[in-house]
Amino acid sequence: MRALLQRIARAPGGRRGKWAVLAAWLIVAVALGPLAGKLGDVEDTSSNAFLPHGAESARVNTELEKFRTDTVMPVVVVYTGAGAEEAADADLAALDRFTAEGQRIAGPVPSDDGEALMTVVPLDSEDEVTDTVDALRDIAGANAPPGTDVEVGGPAASLTDSVAVFDSLDATLMIATGLVVTALLLITYRSPVLWLFPLLSVGFAAVLTQASTYLLAEHASLPVDPQSAGVLMVLVFGVGTDYALLLIARYREELHRHEDRHLAMRIALTRSGPAVLASAGTIAVGLACLALADINSSRSLGLVGAVGVVCAFLAMVTVLPALLVLAGRWVFWPFVPRSGTARKERTVWSRIGGLVARRPRWSWLMSVAVTGVLALSTAGISLGLTQSEMFQDKPESVVAQERLSEHFPSGASDPAQIVTRTGAAAEVRTAAAGVDGVARVEPGGDRTPDGSLTMLSVVLEDAPDSDAAKDTVDALRTAVHAVDGADALVGGTTAESLDTARAADRDLTTVVPVVLLVVLAVLIGLLRALVAPVLLLATVVVSYLAALGASSLLFEHVLGYAGVDWSIPLMGFVFLVALGIDYNIFLMHRVREETARLGVTRGVLEGLTSTGGVITSAGVVLAATFAVFAGLPLVTMAQMGVLVGIGVLLDTFLVRTVMVPALALDLGRRFWWPGKLFRTAPRSGGDAGSGRAAEAREPVAGTRT
């Protein structure tokens, strides 16, 4: 690999090669720039985009496309208060013009308690539904008397409110992430110039990422949804900046040793390249493992994220080195590295390493205890969020559903749907009506043009996203599936929530073991040992559990969330294992290099001292970029940002700084069993293979004792 990296490094680190690299990237940016702007054109916003692949509710959505009424999406206008009847009657003529062709307004329907009315307006979903709902909201209740409340809800309004969140998502994330990364780079480098180079390189990576994602979606059926498209740019910013920090730190280190900046860059790329490549490979393959998930949105996020990581890696090992070499040493001003100048003798990381080396076993045991206590909080996690709990601030559609639940059968605005063969429709209707929790089966039923299928609407007694409604859907499925020859399927919002929750459980048991095996294989290949990779993987898993426990406490007692979304444990696991192992790769690759030269103890401490600053900076940058999600209106995105941010900080300041070095010091040579270092690492200071007190007395090169 080193020979291959040496050949690759000749391009951006060469006197002529840097020009070729920059010219190639400029051509790519100009050619692919227009395609990058088309990513929104291939985003899947259909009902099945966030559902499990092949789930019964998804199959119902597919079957509904065969019906004449497949283009109908209802809006429900709810009137409450003293003038409800007057307002509802006054709105009828205005609302009628929004109805789909061949459809009629239903209502106003009074509630049993006489305190509310409901008007159902069937919209044509092939029109611009969100624009229609916005216009309808402006009209509904415009002439309502004082004291009358009018809310617009139902499936079409829920879709409109969700789209409103994602419409501003990309721009909000890009601006916020760019500002956060810029501020942190300025703090890290303390240079008015250097911070521009990582951001410019990330810009190239962003163009390549968006264009590649568009082309793969258009021609290779890569699934893309609004959520994965939004996360994509944050991931590219975070991972790309991490690689930039690592490369720039190694380049600056080599500039202290070599007068020729081209030679310094080639050496920096050759020596840091394996760690960056292993990191990118681990994250990309780990995210790609989400292709095994049932939930379509999880598959989309994993595959799209893998594309982003690969593009970020390509940019950071080509265009960034070329830009840095072209600019020269002055980009580090006012702290310009000069050839022949020594590194600072004492740093905070050498002091931390010295403390850990004095009592390595106590250090890793205390680290495990801290993470273990936090991990205990995972036992009390409440999984699952209702529709009303999915937003930081309640949109109008959620308020409308609450009004409906107060005065009508809660499922009236969003009934369950049964698709069955027409010949068995009567028997299916009877079976459905006899299920506990079913308020009524609507009379009639839509048929496909050929008359082979019938769709029945079933109003549930409970709110569509409640646990009671899900139990009713289970019972409903059992009842209608038992009808011979019906081939009945039950769908709708409640069924979708039920199928998603169950698929999330299946995905955890399927994807998690595969991700662990993939990461373990990468570590074994990089470190050429067995004990070290197993322990490193275990530390990341412990860190994930601690982050999940700490996040759940924060969600419940500080942020006031009702629970944790079903997708968070799996998404958090994949991101944190892939990103968490990232820093262990950076650290242990350098430790392995120094151990072969200095011995076990001095190698560990020198590796920690050399990488401590850059890895900490990278961790803070990555945590801050994901923390941007915390301010988004969608609770799921906010929870993922908080979980990943906490997990990355735990990895950065506890696991990588204390736990991993302490384990390596305590085990000594055995940490590298059965690899070459286990047999051949230099001995010094009475090292007999143990990493304990005798070895801890050795001084680190470049430090005072």
Side-chain angles (χ1 to χ4, degrees):
M1 179 181 288
R2 184 172 289 270
L4 175 62
L5 288 170
Q6 286 175 339
R7 287 195 293 271
I8 294 174
R10 290 173 188 165
R15 298 181 184 279
R16 296 180 180 177
K18 62 179 181 288
W19 295 106
V21 169
L22 290 174
W25 272 99
L26 286 173
I27 293 172
V28 167
V30 172
L32 298 183
L35 296 180
K38 293 184 177 182
L39 183 57
D41 297 343
V42 294
E43 291 179 6
D44 182 6
T45 57
S46 68
S47 301
N48 288 347
F50 296 90
L51 295 180
H53 180 69
E56 185 169 340
S57 56
R59 291 160 60 197
V60 168
N61 290 334
T62 302
E63 291 296 312
L64 289 177
E65 296 175 3
K66 301 176 182 178
F67 288 77
R68 287 191 296 270
T69 57
D70 61 337
T71 60
V72 171
M73 183 176 288
V75 162
V76 180
V77 185
V78 187
Y79 301 86
T80 55
E85 185 174 354
E86 178 184 347
D89 290 338
D91 283 346
L92 276 179
L95 298 178
D96 186 59
R97 67 184 181 88
F98 292 100
T99 59
E101 185 177 354
Q103 300 294 317
R104 291 186 303 174
I105 286 180
V109 178
S111 61
D112 291 339
D113 60 13
E115 296 182 3
L117 292 102
M118 171 179 68
T119 299
V120 181
V121 184
L123 306 183
D124 190 333
S125 63
E126 291 185 348
D127 294 338
E128 292 294 332
V129 172
T130 56
D131 292 341
T132 304
V133 171
D134 288 339
L136 190 149
R137 280 174 167 166
D138 291 337
I139 292 174
N143 299 314
T148 303
D149 294 322
V150 181
E151 284 85 26
V152 177
S158 295
L159 175 64
T160 299
D161 291 336
S162 297
V163 169
V165 171
F166 288 110
D167 273 349
S168 60
L169 181 65
D170 289 348
T172 301
L173 285 178
M174 285 288 286
I175 294 172
T177 303
L179 291 175
V180 167
V181 171
T182 298
L184 291 173
L185 287 175
L186 282 168
I187 294 171
T188 299
Y189 291 130
R190 292 172 293 168
S191 167
V193 179
L194 184 56
W195 63 275
L196 288 169
F197 288 78
L199 284 185
L200 183 58
S201 302
V202 168
F204 279 107
V207 172
L208 180 61
T209 297
Q210 291 186 320
S212 299
T213 304
Y214 168 77
L215 291 172
L216 289 171
E218 185 73 15
H219 302 291
S221 301
L222 177 71
V224 182
D225 59 52
Q227 176 178 282
S228 61
V231 174
L232 178 61
M233 286 299 96
V234 174
L235 186 63
V236 170
F237 261 91
V239 172
T241 306
D242 272 8
Y243 297 156
L245 288 166
L246 183 70
L247 177 62
I248 291 173
R250 193 62 186 256
Y251 175 50
R252 180 161 49 187
E253 189 176 328
E254 297 301 330
L255 286 175
H256 282 291
R257 298 170 179 163
H258 304 282
E259 183 65 35
D260 186 351
R261 66 180 188 274
H262 297 86
L263 175 61
M265 179 56 75
R266 290 197 296 272
I267 294 174
L269 270 174
T270 302
R271 293 183 176 174
S272 63
V276 176
L277 178 60
S279 168
T282 302
I283 298 174
V285 176
L287 290 175
C289 288
L290 284 170
L292 301 174
D294 281 340
I295 299 177
N296 289 328
S297 56
S298 298
R299 295 173 59 245
S300 173
L301 183 57
L303 294 174
V304 169
V307 173
V309 171
V310 171
C311 293
F313 166 77
L314 292 175
M316 293 306 144
V317 298
T318 54
V319 68
L320 177 62
L323 288 170
L324 290 172
V325 171
L326 178 64
R329 296 173 184 264
W330 69 270
V331 298
F332 291 93
W333 184 87
F335 304 99
V336 180
R338 303 296 182 186
S339 176
T341 57
R343 194 181 66 189
K344 290 172 63 176
E345 290 188 349
R346 292 284 284 176
T347 68
V348 64
W349 302 108
S350 63
R351 294 187 181 95
I352 291 174
L355 292 173
V356 172
R358 291 189 186 98
R359 302 185 66 182
R361 182 166 298 176
W362 180 88
S363 298
W364 71 258
L365 284 174
M366 289 301 297
S367 302
V368 170
V370 171
T371 53
V373 169
L374 291 175
L376 290 176
S377 300
T378 58
I381 287 182
S382 174
L383 288 176
L385 296 172
T386 65
Q387 183 68 23
S388 62
E389 295 165 350
M390 292 293 292
F391 298 91
Q392 304 259 34
D393 298 314
K394 289 182 182 179
E396 186 174 345
S397 59
V398 172
V399 177
Q401 179 58 50
E402 291 177 347
R403 296 284 188 272
L404 284 168
S405 298
E406 291 172 3
H407 304 287
F408 293 87
S410 297
S413 67
D414 196 359
Q417 297 162 324
I418 301 177
V419 176
T420 180
R421 294 190 182 277
T422 299
E427 192 174 351
V428 168
R429 178 189 298 276
T430 301
V435 173
D436 289 339
V438 171
R440 66 179 182 273
V441 180
E442 298 287 11
D446 296 314
R447 292 188 180 183
T448 54
D450 62 5
S452 62
L453 297 176
T454 296
M455 190 272 287
L456 304 175
S457 293
V458 181
V459 177
L460 308 182
E461 293 178 351
D462 302 291
D465 51 10
S466 65
D467 289 338
K470 293 173 186 176
D471 292 339
T472 302
V473 166
D474 259 338
L476 189 60
R477 283 176 169 172
T478 300
V480 301
H481 289 172
V483 178
D484 290 336
D487 294 333
L489 300 172
V490 178
T493 301
T494 305
E496 291 172 358
S497 299
L498 179 64
D499 291 340
T500 300
R502 288 177 176 168
D505 287 338
R506 290 195 301 271
D507 288 348
L508 270 175
T509 58
T510 301
V511 176
V512 167
V514 177
V515 171
L516 292 176
L517 288 175
V518 166
V519 172
L520 182 62
V522 172
L523 289 174
I524 291 173
L526 179 70
L527 301 179
R528 300 169 199 173
L530 286 177
V531 173
V534 170
L535 288 176
L536 292 177
L537 193 59
T539 63
V540 174
V541 172
V542 169
S543 175
Y544 160 73
L545 293 174
L548 185 60
S551 298
S552 68
L553 292 175
L554 191 62
F555 296 156
E556 180 180 356
H557 300 292
V558 178
L559 300 176
Y561 298 147
V564 178
D565 186 70
W566 286 104
S567 64
I568 294 301
L570 178 61
M571 293 292 100
F573 177 84
V574 173
F575 271 98
L576 284 180
V577 168
L579 296 173
I581 209 68
D582 203 27
Y583 301 124
N584 280 332
I585 287 174
F586 293 164
L587 171 65
M588 297 314 296
H589 179 263
R590 185 61 181 265
V591 167
R592 188 178 188 280
E593 178 184 329
E594 300 297 343
T595 297
R597 185 170 64 92
L598 301 172
V600 177
T601 297
R602 293 178 63 189
V604 171
L605 299 183
E606 180 67 14
L608 177 61
T609 302
S610 301
T611 63
V614 63
I615 293 178
T616 299
S617 299
V620 171
V621 168
L622 190 62
T625 54
F626 271 91
V628 170
F629 286 135
L632 297 180
L634 205 60
V635 170
T636 301
M637 302 284 280
Q639 288 184 340
M640 186 171 70
V642 171
L643 174 59
V644 174
I646 291 176
V648 168
L649 292 177
L650 277 173
D651 272 323
T652 302
F653 289 102
L654 182 62
V655 175
R656 190 267 313 159
T657 303
V658 179
M659 188 185 296
V660 170
L663 283 168
L665 290 168
D666 192 28
L667 291 175
R669 291 174 179 272
R670 289 170 293 178
F671 188 76
W672 300 101
W673 183 89
K676 184 178 179 181
L677 285 180
F678 173 70
R679 303 185 303 272
T680 63
R683 296 187 179 219
S684 58
D687 178 15
S690 169
R692 299 174 190 164
E695 210 175 338
R697 288 193 295 268
E698 302 174 26
V700 179
T703 64
R704 295 191 183 99
T705 58

